Amino acid sequence: MVWCNEGDTCRSNSEEEVHEDGEVLRLKLANGNFKSFVIKKKKTPPKEDKVQSYGHLVLELGVHFKALLSLCKTPDRERGLRLLKVTMLHFKANNWMSKYAYEIMRLLVHQYCILSEQEASEEFYALFVNTKGKTDSHIPCDLQMEYIVKCVKKHLKHMFSNKTDDFISKRTSAISAISDISEQFDRVSHVVIRSKRHSDLSSIHDELDMISDLRQLRPFETDPGRQHDTFPGISRKMENQLDMNLFRNWILQQKIKFATELGK
């Protein structure tokens, strides 16, 4: 009900006589006068474009993956720790029980809380191996171990039935010397090493198919309300899927847990 001023002869105005015109509310009084009030409408947020969110998320993860590959070639501790923090966020957002996030957290506690600066640098750079003595020729330490295991299996294969413990120990301990001798022999005797055919197929056709699909989907053009068939509930960023309060509590728990595992 709307009441008039004291000088007016009207008593009240029913709600049916109140008209809404855009953002201006006009009230008709009983004496025939009109009074306007400005009202603010609640703005409804625009609907999210799930296809665009998918495109941004794939682009973000792809760039982050390329940064990790670059880190493996040219290790840098400060840059590596920043990338590991973001990687831990992604792993926890994807799977709360991720063992990779757990191990990254262990390394970060060592780097920031437990070890000295010298020990932290030694631990970080021990994760990589420089195979050619150049600035950008590092590989991960576990990948180097895979190469060593492959080389050991190759030598053991040619031992045939003579696989005793002593002979295996002698053969594997001399692998580096055997490699140096064989390479030196090839250089002296001018052996031409033929290049091998690439075992991986060309990806040019797959890339062209992807470009064709992207031209049809237009993932970076905003279309409110557009849905992704495979990922209907996808978020624009991985961090949006993570409860930050639970994540902070988890970090505090792991800091206390890892603080005493080295006996310091």
Side-chain angles (χ1 to χ4, degrees), residues 53-64:
S53 299
Y54 174 79
H56 280 275
L57 183 59
V58 170
L59 186 61
E60 178 186 354
L61 295 178
V63 172
H64 184 70

Side-chain angles (χ1 to χ4, degrees), residues 13-244:
N13 214 22
S14 62
E15 294 181 359
E16 289 77 7
E17 295 175 329
V18 178
H19 304 282
E20 184 177 352
D21 184 15
E23 294 185 353
V24 179
L25 185 66
R26 301 186 65 194
L27 300 180
K28 184 178 180 181
L29 305 179
N31 57 4
N33 296 330
F34 287 91
K35 197 167 185 178
S36 301
F37 297 91
V38 179
I39 60 173
K40 294 182 179 180
K41 290 185 177 180
K42 292 184 179 180
K43 295 183 179 180
T44 57
K47 294 182 179 180
E48 186 177 359
D49 186 355
K50 297 297 183 180
V51 176
Q52 188 185 53
S53 299
Y54 174 79
H56 280 275
L57 183 59
V58 170
L59 186 61
E60 178 186 354
L61 295 178
V63 172
H64 184 70
F65 179 69
K66 296 293 288 185
L68 290 175
L69 294 180
S70 175
L71 175 68
C72 292
K73 288 188 176 181
T74 55
D76 181 75
R77 180 171 174 266
E78 297 298 328
R79 179 190 177 201
L81 294 180
R82 291 195 300 267
L83 289 175
L84 287 176
K85 292 176 185 178
V86 179
T87 306
M88 183 176 65
L89 280 173
H90 290 171
F91 280 132
K92 290 297 287 185
N94 182 62
N95 182 9
W96 183 257
M97 303 300 294
S98 173
K99 61 180 181 180
Y100 300 107
Y102 182 83
E103 293 301 329
I104 292 175
M105 185 63 202
R106 183 199 300 271
L107 178 62
L108 292 177
V109 171
H110 290 178
Q111 294 291 312
Y112 287 111
C113 304
I114 300 178
L115 302 178
S116 63
E117 185 174 359
Q118 179 180 353
E119 293 173 337
S121 298
E122 292 175 355
E123 182 189 40
F124 180 82
Y125 289 106
L127 300 174
F128 308 94
V129 177
N130 194 332
T131 57
K132 298 181 180 179
K134 299 179 181 179
T135 306
D136 57 347
S137 61
H138 292 76
I139 62 173
C141 187
D142 55 346
L143 183 59
Q144 175 67 9
M145 182 58 65
E146 293 293 335
Y147 291 153
I148 294 175
V149 171
K150 182 179 179 180
C151 184
V152 169
K153 289 182 178 179
K154 179 180 178 181
H155 283 270
L156 293 179
K157 181 180 179 181
H158 293 83
M159 292 171 61
F160 300 102
S161 62
N162 191 19
K163 292 185 177 66
T164 61
D165 293 339
D166 293 338
F167 193 56
I168 291 175
S169 177
K170 292 179 181 179
R171 188 66 176 267
T172 54
S173 61
I175 286 179
S176 59
I178 293 173
S179 178
D180 293 339
I181 293 172
S182 60
E183 291 177 0
Q184 179 64 20
F185 180 82
D186 291 340
R187 284 193 293 267
V188 172
S189 57
H190 303 289
V191 175
V192 178
I193 301 176
R194 303 294 181 183
S195 60
K196 298 180 180 179
R197 181 178 297 179
H198 295 288
S199 58
D200 296 334
L201 298 177
S202 176
S203 60
I204 185 65
H205 297 293
D206 296 334
E207 293 174 358
L208 292 176
D209 292 339
M210 292 173 59
I211 293 174
S212 178
D213 293 339
L214 290 175
R215 286 177 176 174
Q216 295 179 2
L217 292 175
R218 300 292 182 183
F220 301 109
E221 291 184 359
T222 305
D223 186 5
R226 187 167 48 166
Q227 297 293 325
H228 196 288
D229 297 335
T230 309
F231 306 100
I234 194 169
S235 300
R236 193 178 185 87
K237 293 184 178 181
M238 290 292 292
E239 297 83 58
N240 296 340
Q241 306 177 21
L242 188 63
D243 190 337
M244 298 307 296

